[in-house]
Amino acid sequence: MIPFLDLNQINKPYLPAIEEASLRVLRSGWYILGNELKSFETAFANYCQVRYCIGVANGLDAIGLILRAYEFPEKSEIIVPANTYIASVLPVSYLNLIPVFVEPDPYSMLIDPAKIEEKITSETRAILCVDLYGRSCEMLEIAALAKKYNLKVITDAAQAHGAIYDGQKVGGIADATAFSFYPTKNLGALGDAGAITTNDPLLAERITYLRNYGSKERYKNEFQGVNSRLDEIQAAILNVKLPFLEAENARRRDIARRYLAEIKLPDLVLPPDDRIDQDAWHLFVVRHPDRAAFTGYLDQMGVQTNVHYPLPIHKQKAYATINHYNLPITEEIHQRVISLPLNPVLSDEEVSHIIETVNKYQQ
């Protein structure tokens, strides 16, 4: 069986350095908001070509802290993509803001800029983009809309470490960008971890306070903050792995290039091929009209797949009050998407087997 993702194999080359870094933290006696975090924040900001990086506990908190820092009035509307994971939208709801869902472009499966403007009202305060599967949204069009209506642009780049748009790395394009370093991400910690990047000094300062109970100086709280800090051990692990992110993304692109060129199965819709060298290829998401039969066949043939994601947000029990929403493009995508294995430890032989297996499928 070719596993969809083998984290043991992905982390194996870095284990000696990770063990050394972890032991260094253990022996230091300083476990929160220390030098390891400062080092990672500087390194990741430089990597993203952005002025500020603030480490936080996870990607969900990263989105929530950005929204909290902007202090939008309650019931403000936030434009969100209908096709995304629920974690992109939960922070909007937590803060008593209103998520306004916009359908995706059927080609990219990302939020469709052409459908955003009709959803903007006098109550809209921000556009939340999600760089799903490792591909940046169409930020030039989105930025133009934001400027026209005086809106903030926030990006959830949890799946897009190292992706590029218009010559700029994701992380320095939007007003603020949220990252997750969950272990399965292109840059993965060995636990929960996240960060926020921005070029806005006032926003960066406010978020730095908010992540630590709203405090700059111990026992003096300027804001009603939260406890959301990227700990020293996870920061140390990320410091070990960050220098190898470009090489791992290059391997992902090589695999994606082969899939796009060599998979020839009728009825299988492949992802966009117009930005092979810019996308981060966190996932290789295809679409098939009979997902159950196709994935069952692949499993029998020793190819493990995954589904990102089987049920859209507006059909989840957690959002029962909007289950009646009619979002047909999103619903069709969620019924058909399949993620094929794509990660930097796949061998050329495994990639060939996956391609041959897919091409031999017969309904």
mmCIF file with all atom_site columns, all heavy atoms in Angstrom, residues 108-126:
data_model
loop_
_atom_site.group_PDB
_atom_site.id
_atom_site.type_symbol
_atom_site.label_atom_id
_atom_site.label_alt_id
_atom_site.label_comp_id
_atom_site.label_asym_id
_atom_site.label_entity_id
_atom_site.label_seq_id
_atom_site.pdbx_PDB_ins_code
_atom_site.Cartn_x
_atom_site.Cartn_y
_atom_site.Cartn_z
_atom_site.occupancy
_atom_site.B_iso_or_equiv
_atom_site.pdbx_formal_charge
_atom_site.auth_seq_id
_atom_site.auth_comp_id
_atom_site.auth_asym_id
_atom_site.auth_atom_id
_atom_site.pdbx_PDB_model_num
ATOM 1   N N   . SER A 1 108 ? -10.359 26.543 -10.539 1.00 0.00 ? 108 SER A N   1
ATOM 2   C CA  . SER A 1 108 ? -9.359  26.520 -9.466  1.00 0.00 ? 108 SER A CA  1
ATOM 3   C C   . SER A 1 108 ? -9.910  25.960 -8.163  1.00 0.00 ? 108 SER A C   1
ATOM 4   O O   . SER A 1 108 ? -9.141  25.542 -7.293  1.00 0.00 ? 108 SER A O   1
ATOM 5   C CB  . SER A 1 108 ? -8.830  27.927 -9.222  1.00 0.00 ? 108 SER A CB  1
ATOM 6   O OG  . SER A 1 108 ? -9.834  28.746 -8.632  1.00 0.00 ? 108 SER A OG  1
ATOM 7   N N   . MET A 1 109 ? -11.218 26.008 -7.976  1.00 0.00 ? 109 MET A N   1
ATOM 8   C CA  . MET A 1 109 ? -11.913 25.623 -6.754  1.00 0.00 ? 109 MET A CA  1
ATOM 9   C C   . MET A 1 109 ? -11.653 26.602 -5.605  1.00 0.00 ? 109 MET A C   1
ATOM 10  O O   . MET A 1 109 ? -12.015 26.339 -4.462  1.00 0.00 ? 109 MET A O   1
ATOM 11  C CB  . MET A 1 109 ? -11.595 24.183 -6.341  1.00 0.00 ? 109 MET A CB  1
ATOM 12  C CG  . MET A 1 109 ? -12.052 23.144 -7.363  1.00 0.00 ? 109 MET A CG  1
ATOM 13  S SD  . MET A 1 109 ? -11.794 21.429 -6.849  1.00 0.00 ? 109 MET A SD  1
ATOM 14  C CE  . MET A 1 109 ? -10.025 21.260 -7.156  1.00 0.00 ? 109 MET A CE  1
ATOM 15  N N   . LEU A 1 110 ? -11.034 27.739 -5.899  1.00 0.00 ? 110 LEU A N   1
ATOM 16  C CA  . LEU A 1 110 ? -10.820 28.798 -4.917  1.00 0.00 ? 110 LEU A CA  1
ATOM 17  C C   . LEU A 1 110 ? -11.895 29.873 -5.073  1.00 0.00 ? 110 LEU A C   1
ATOM 18  O O   . LEU A 1 110 ? -12.589 29.918 -6.081  1.00 0.00 ? 110 LEU A O   1
ATOM 19  C CB  . LEU A 1 110 ? -9.444  29.424 -5.104  1.00 0.00 ? 110 LEU A CB  1
ATOM 20  C CG  . LEU A 1 110 ? -8.239  28.480 -5.105  1.00 0.00 ? 110 LEU A CG  1
ATOM 21  C CD1 . LEU A 1 110 ? -6.951  29.273 -5.223  1.00 0.00 ? 110 LEU A CD1 1
ATOM 22  C CD2 . LEU A 1 110 ? -8.215  27.618 -3.850  1.00 0.00 ? 110 LEU A CD2 1
ATOM 23  N N   . ILE A 1 111 ? -12.000 30.755 -4.081  1.00 0.00 ? 111 ILE A N   1
ATOM 24  C CA  . ILE A 1 111 ? -13.014 31.802 -4.116  1.00 0.00 ? 111 ILE A CA  1
ATOM 25  C C   . ILE A 1 111 ? -12.959 32.544 -5.452  1.00 0.00 ? 111 ILE A C   1
ATOM 26  O O   . ILE A 1 111 ? -11.882 32.904 -5.939  1.00 0.00 ? 111 ILE A O   1
ATOM 27  C CB  . ILE A 1 111 ? -12.842 32.765 -2.923  1.00 0.00 ? 111 ILE A CB  1
ATOM 28  C CG1 . ILE A 1 111 ? -14.063 33.685 -2.792  1.00 0.00 ? 111 ILE A CG1 1
ATOM 29  C CG2 . ILE A 1 111 ? -11.543 33.542 -2.993  1.00 0.00 ? 111 ILE A CG2 1
ATOM 30  C CD1 . ILE A 1 111 ? -14.102 34.458 -1.482  1.00 0.00 ? 111 ILE A CD1 1
ATOM 31  N N   . ASP A 1 112 ? -14.121 32.764 -6.049  1.00 0.00 ? 112 ASP A N   1
ATOM 32  C CA  . ASP A 1 112 ? -14.214 33.381 -7.374  1.00 0.00 ? 112 ASP A CA  1
ATOM 33  C C   . ASP A 1 112 ? -14.313 34.896 -7.227  1.00 0.00 ? 112 ASP A C   1
ATOM 34  O O   . ASP A 1 112 ? -15.328 35.415 -6.759  1.00 0.00 ? 112 ASP A O   1
ATOM 35  C CB  . ASP A 1 112 ? -15.450 32.834 -8.102  1.00 0.00 ? 112 ASP A CB  1
ATOM 36  C CG  . ASP A 1 112 ? -15.518 33.268 -9.551  1.00 0.00 ? 112 ASP A CG  1
ATOM 37  O OD1 . ASP A 1 112 ? -14.781 34.202 -9.939  1.00 0.00 ? 112 ASP A OD1 1
ATOM 38  O OD2 . ASP A 1 112 ? -16.311 32.666 -10.312 1.00 0.00 ? 112 ASP A OD2 1
ATOM 39  N N   . PRO A 1 113 ? -13.271 35.638 -7.634  1.00 0.00 ? 113 PRO A N   1
ATOM 40  C CA  . PRO A 1 113 ? -13.322 37.101 -7.492  1.00 0.00 ? 113 PRO A CA  1
ATOM 41  C C   . PRO A 1 113 ? -14.514 37.724 -8.206  1.00 0.00 ? 113 PRO A C   1
ATOM 42  O O   . PRO A 1 113 ? -15.041 38.755 -7.755  1.00 0.00 ? 113 PRO A O   1
ATOM 43  C CB  . PRO A 1 113 ? -12.001 37.563 -8.118  1.00 0.00 ? 113 PRO A CB  1
ATOM 44  C CG  . PRO A 1 113 ? -11.089 36.386 -8.031  1.00 0.00 ? 113 PRO A CG  1
ATOM 45  C CD  . PRO A 1 113 ? -11.986 35.185 -8.188  1.00 0.00 ? 113 PRO A CD  1
ATOM 46  N N   . ALA A 1 114 ? -14.954 37.097 -9.294  1.00 0.00 ? 114 ALA A N   1
ATOM 47  C CA  . ALA A 1 114 ? -16.079 37.642 -10.055 1.00 0.00 ? 114 ALA A CA  1
ATOM 48  C C   . ALA A 1 114 ? -17.392 37.584 -9.286  1.00 0.00 ? 114 ALA A C   1
ATOM 49  O O   . ALA A 1 114 ? -18.349 38.282 -9.630  1.00 0.00 ? 114 ALA A O   1
ATOM 50  C CB  . ALA A 1 114 ? -16.226 36.885 -11.378 1.00 0.00 ? 114 ALA A CB  1
ATOM 51  N N   . LYS A 1 115 ? -17.438 36.763 -8.241  1.00 0.00 ? 115 LYS A N   1
ATOM 52  C CA  . LYS A 1 115 ? -18.670 36.616 -7.459  1.00 0.00 ? 115 LYS A CA  1
ATOM 53  C C   . LYS A 1 115 ? -18.619 37.372 -6.131  1.00 0.00 ? 115 LYS A C   1
ATOM 54  O O   . LYS A 1 115 ? -19.586 37.356 -5.368  1.00 0.00 ? 115 LYS A O   1
ATOM 55  C CB  . LYS A 1 115 ? -18.954 35.133 -7.198  1.00 0.00 ? 115 LYS A CB  1
ATOM 56  C CG  . LYS A 1 115 ? -19.255 34.318 -8.453  1.00 0.00 ? 115 LYS A CG  1
ATOM 57  C CD  . LYS A 1 115 ? -19.604 32.881 -8.088  1.00 0.00 ? 115 LYS A CD  1
ATOM 58  C CE  . LYS A 1 115 ? -20.087 32.089 -9.293  1.00 0.00 ? 115 LYS A CE  1
ATOM 59  N NZ  . LYS A 1 115 ? -19.021 31.830 -10.263 1.00 0.00 ? 115 LYS A NZ  1
ATOM 60  N N   . ILE A 1 116 ? -17.495 38.004 -5.840  1.00 0.00 ? 116 ILE A N   1
ATOM 61  C CA  . ILE A 1 116 ? -17.344 38.666 -4.540  1.00 0.00 ? 116 ILE A CA  1
ATOM 62  C C   . ILE A 1 116 ? -18.130 39.977 -4.473  1.00 0.00 ? 116 ILE A C   1
ATOM 63  O O   . ILE A 1 116 ? -18.844 40.250 -3.497  1.00 0.00 ? 116 ILE A O   1
ATOM 64  C CB  . ILE A 1 116 ? -15.858 38.923 -4.222  1.00 0.00 ? 116 ILE A CB  1
ATOM 65  C CG1 . ILE A 1 116 ? -15.140 37.594 -3.979  1.00 0.00 ? 116 ILE A CG1 1
ATOM 66  C CG2 . ILE A 1 116 ? -15.712 39.845 -3.004  1.00 0.00 ? 116 ILE A CG2 1
ATOM 67  C CD1 . ILE A 1 116 ? -13.641 37.738 -3.756  1.00 0.00 ? 116 ILE A CD1 1
ATOM 68  N N   . GLU A 1 117 ? -18.027 40.794 -5.506  1.00 0.00 ? 117 GLU A N   1
ATOM 69  C CA  . GLU A 1 117 ? -18.560 42.158 -5.429  1.00 0.00 ? 117 GLU A CA  1
ATOM 70  C C   . GLU A 1 117 ? -20.063 42.173 -5.137  1.00 0.00 ? 117 GLU A C   1
ATOM 71  O O   . GLU A 1 117 ? -20.539 43.027 -4.373  1.00 0.00 ? 117 GLU A O   1
ATOM 72  C CB  . GLU A 1 117 ? -18.264 42.923 -6.717  1.00 0.00 ? 117 GLU A CB  1
ATOM 73  C CG  . GLU A 1 117 ? -18.598 44.408 -6.614  1.00 0.00 ? 117 GLU A CG  1
ATOM 74  C CD  . GLU A 1 117 ? -17.963 45.240 -7.706  1.00 0.00 ? 117 GLU A CD  1
ATOM 75  O OE1 . GLU A 1 117 ? -17.546 44.654 -8.733  1.00 0.00 ? 117 GLU A OE1 1
ATOM 76  O OE2 . GLU A 1 117 ? -17.877 46.466 -7.548  1.00 0.00 ? 117 GLU A OE2 1
ATOM 77  N N   . GLU A 1 118 ? -20.796 41.231 -5.699  1.00 0.00 ? 118 GLU A N   1
ATOM 78  C CA  . GLU A 1 118 ? -22.246 41.202 -5.484  1.00 0.00 ? 118 GLU A CA  1
ATOM 79  C C   . GLU A 1 118 ? -22.616 40.894 -4.034  1.00 0.00 ? 118 GLU A C   1
ATOM 80  O O   . GLU A 1 118 ? -23.746 41.128 -3.611  1.00 0.00 ? 118 GLU A O   1
ATOM 81  C CB  . GLU A 1 118 ? -22.893 40.173 -6.417  1.00 0.00 ? 118 GLU A CB  1
ATOM 82  C CG  . GLU A 1 118 ? -22.495 38.736 -6.127  1.00 0.00 ? 118 GLU A CG  1
ATOM 83  C CD  . GLU A 1 118 ? -22.955 37.761 -7.202  1.00 0.00 ? 118 GLU A CD  1
ATOM 84  O OE1 . GLU A 1 118 ? -22.823 38.081 -8.403  1.00 0.00 ? 118 GLU A OE1 1
ATOM 85  O OE2 . GLU A 1 118 ? -23.447 36.675 -6.825  1.00 0.00 ? 118 GLU A OE2 1
ATOM 86  N N   . LYS A 1 119 ? -21.644 40.368 -3.269  1.00 0.00 ? 119 LYS A N   1
ATOM 87  C CA  . LYS A 1 119 ? -21.893 40.030 -1.870  1.00 0.00 ? 119 LYS A CA  1
ATOM 88  C C   . LYS A 1 119 ? -21.484 41.145 -0.902  1.00 0.00 ? 119 LYS A C   1
ATOM 89  O O   . LYS A 1 119 ? -21.754 41.067 0.297   1.00 0.00 ? 119 LYS A O   1
ATOM 90  C CB  . LYS A 1 119 ? -21.123 38.752 -1.503  1.00 0.00 ? 119 LYS A CB  1
ATOM 91  C CG  . LYS A 1 119 ? -21.504 37.522 -2.302  1.00 0.00 ? 119 LYS A CG  1
ATOM 92  C CD  . LYS A 1 119 ? -22.849 36.979 -1.876  1.00 0.00 ? 119 LYS A CD  1
ATOM 93  C CE  . LYS A 1 119 ? -23.132 35.638 -2.547  1.00 0.00 ? 119 LYS A CE  1
ATOM 94  N NZ  . LYS A 1 119 ? -24.390 35.030 -2.054  1.00 0.00 ? 119 LYS A NZ  1
ATOM 95  N N   . ILE A 1 120 ? -20.839 42.174 -1.415  1.00 0.00 ? 120 ILE A N   1
ATOM 96  C CA  . ILE A 1 120 ? -20.363 43.256 -0.557  1.00 0.00 ? 120 ILE A CA  1
ATOM 97  C C   . ILE A 1 120 ? -21.511 44.209 -0.219  1.00 0.00 ? 120 ILE A C   1
ATOM 98  O O   . ILE A 1 120 ? -22.255 44.641 -1.103  1.00 0.00 ? 120 ILE A O   1
ATOM 99  C CB  . ILE A 1 120 ? -19.198 44.014 -1.237  1.00 0.00 ? 120 ILE A CB  1
ATOM 100 C CG1 . ILE A 1 120 ? -17.992 43.084 -1.403  1.00 0.00 ? 120 ILE A CG1 1
ATOM 101 C CG2 . ILE A 1 120 ? -18.810 45.245 -0.422  1.00 0.00 ? 120 ILE A CG2 1
ATOM 102 C CD1 . ILE A 1 120 ? -16.866 43.688 -2.218  1.00 0.00 ? 120 ILE A CD1 1
ATOM 103 N N   . THR A 1 121 ? -21.645 44.525 1.058   1.00 0.00 ? 121 THR A N   1
ATOM 104 C CA  . THR A 1 121 ? -22.662 45.480 1.521   1.00 0.00 ? 121 THR A CA  1
ATOM 105 C C   . THR A 1 121 ? -21.983 46.538 2.385   1.00 0.00 ? 121 THR A C   1
ATOM 106 O O   . THR A 1 121 ? -20.766 46.519 2.606   1.00 0.00 ? 121 THR A O   1
ATOM 107 C CB  . THR A 1 121 ? -23.745 44.775 2.356   1.00 0.00 ? 121 THR A CB  1
ATOM 108 O OG1 . THR A 1 121 ? -23.197 44.435 3.648   1.00 0.00 ? 121 THR A OG1 1
ATOM 109 C CG2 . THR A 1 121 ? -24.247 43.509 1.682   1.00 0.00 ? 121 THR A CG2 1
ATOM 110 N N   . SER A 1 122 ? -22.780 47.425 2.920   1.00 0.00 ? 122 SER A N   1
ATOM 111 C CA  . SER A 1 122 ? -22.240 48.466 3.807   1.00 0.00 ? 122 SER A CA  1
ATOM 112 C C   . SER A 1 122 ? -21.706 47.878 5.109   1.00 0.00 ? 122 SER A C   1
ATOM 113 O O   . SER A 1 122 ? -20.979 48.550 5.845   1.00 0.00 ? 122 SER A O   1
ATOM 114 C CB  . SER A 1 122 ? -23.325 49.500 4.118   1.00 0.00 ? 122 SER A CB  1
ATOM 115 O OG  . SER A 1 122 ? -24.430 48.881 4.765   1.00 0.00 ? 122 SER A OG  1
ATOM 116 N N   . GLU A 1 123 ? -22.068 46.629 5.409   1.00 0.00 ? 123 GLU A N   1
ATOM 117 C CA  . GLU A 1 123 ? -21.617 45.980 6.640   1.00 0.00 ? 123 GLU A CA  1
ATOM 118 C C   . GLU A 1 123 ? -20.357 45.136 6.429   1.00 0.00 ? 123 GLU A C   1
ATOM 119 O O   . GLU A 1 123 ? -19.798 44.606 7.394   1.00 0.00 ? 123 GLU A O   1
ATOM 120 C CB  . GLU A 1 123 ? -22.726 45.084 7.201   1.00 0.00 ? 123 GLU A CB  1
ATOM 121 C CG  . GLU A 1 123 ? -24.024 45.808 7.514   1.00 0.00 ? 123 GLU A CG  1
ATOM 122 C CD  . GLU A 1 123 ? -23.819 46.949 8.494   1.00 0.00 ? 123 GLU A CD  1
ATOM 123 O OE1 . GLU A 1 123 ? -23.075 46.754 9.482   1.00 0.00 ? 123 GLU A OE1 1
ATOM 124 O OE2 . GLU A 1 123 ? -24.369 48.044 8.263   1.00 0.00 ? 123 GLU A OE2 1
ATOM 125 N N   . THR A 1 124 ? -19.901 44.992 5.198   1.00 0.00 ? 124 THR A N   1
ATOM 126 C CA  . THR A 1 124 ? -18.725 44.168 4.918   1.00 0.00 ? 124 THR A CA  1
ATOM 127 C C   . THR A 1 124 ? -17.464 44.864 5.408   1.00 0.00 ? 124 THR A C   1
ATOM 128 O O   . THR A 1 124 ? -17.277 46.064 5.184   1.00 0.00 ? 124 THR A O   1
ATOM 129 C CB  . THR A 1 124 ? -18.599 43.890 3.407   1.00 0.00 ? 124 THR A CB  1
ATOM 130 O OG1 . THR A 1 124 ? -19.836 43.354 2.921   1.00 0.00 ? 124 THR A OG1 1
ATOM 131 C CG2 . THR A 1 124 ? -17.485 42.888 3.136   1.00 0.00 ? 124 THR A CG2 1
ATOM 132 N N   . ARG A 1 125 ? -16.603 44.101 6.070   1.00 0.00 ? 125 ARG A N   1
ATOM 133 C CA  . ARG A 1 125 ? -15.371 44.682 6.602   1.00 0.00 ? 125 ARG A CA  1
ATOM 134 C C   . ARG A 1 125 ? -14.106 44.023 6.051   1.00 0.00 ? 125 ARG A C   1
ATOM 135 O O   . ARG A 1 125 ? -13.034 44.626 6.087   1.00 0.00 ? 125 ARG A O   1
ATOM 136 C CB  . ARG A 1 125 ? -15.346 44.572 8.133   1.00 0.00 ? 125 ARG A CB  1
ATOM 137 C CG  . ARG A 1 125 ? -16.425 45.381 8.833   1.00 0.00 ? 125 ARG A CG  1
ATOM 138 C CD  . ARG A 1 125 ? -16.215 46.880 8.657   1.00 0.00 ? 125 ARG A CD  1
ATOM 139 N NE  . ARG A 1 125 ? -17.260 47.676 9.300   1.00 0.00 ? 125 ARG A NE  1
ATOM 140 C CZ  . ARG A 1 125 ? -18.372 48.069 8.703   1.00 0.00 ? 125 ARG A CZ  1
ATOM 141 N NH1 . ARG A 1 125 ? -18.589 47.759 7.425   1.00 0.00 ? 125 ARG A NH1 1
ATOM 142 N NH2 . ARG A 1 125 ? -19.282 48.777 9.347   1.00 0.00 ? 125 ARG A NH2 1
ATOM 143 N N   . ALA A 1 126 ? -14.212 42.803 5.575   1.00 0.00 ? 126 ALA A N   1
ATOM 144 C CA  . ALA A 1 126 ? -12.999 42.107 5.118   1.00 0.00 ? 126 ALA A CA  1
ATOM 145 C C   . ALA A 1 126 ? -13.349 40.997 4.145   1.00 0.00 ? 126 ALA A C   1
ATOM 146 O O   . ALA A 1 126 ? -14.476 40.487 4.128   1.00 0.00 ? 126 ALA A O   1
ATOM 147 C CB  . ALA A 1 126 ? -12.228 41.539 6.310   1.00 0.00 ? 126 ALA A CB  1
#
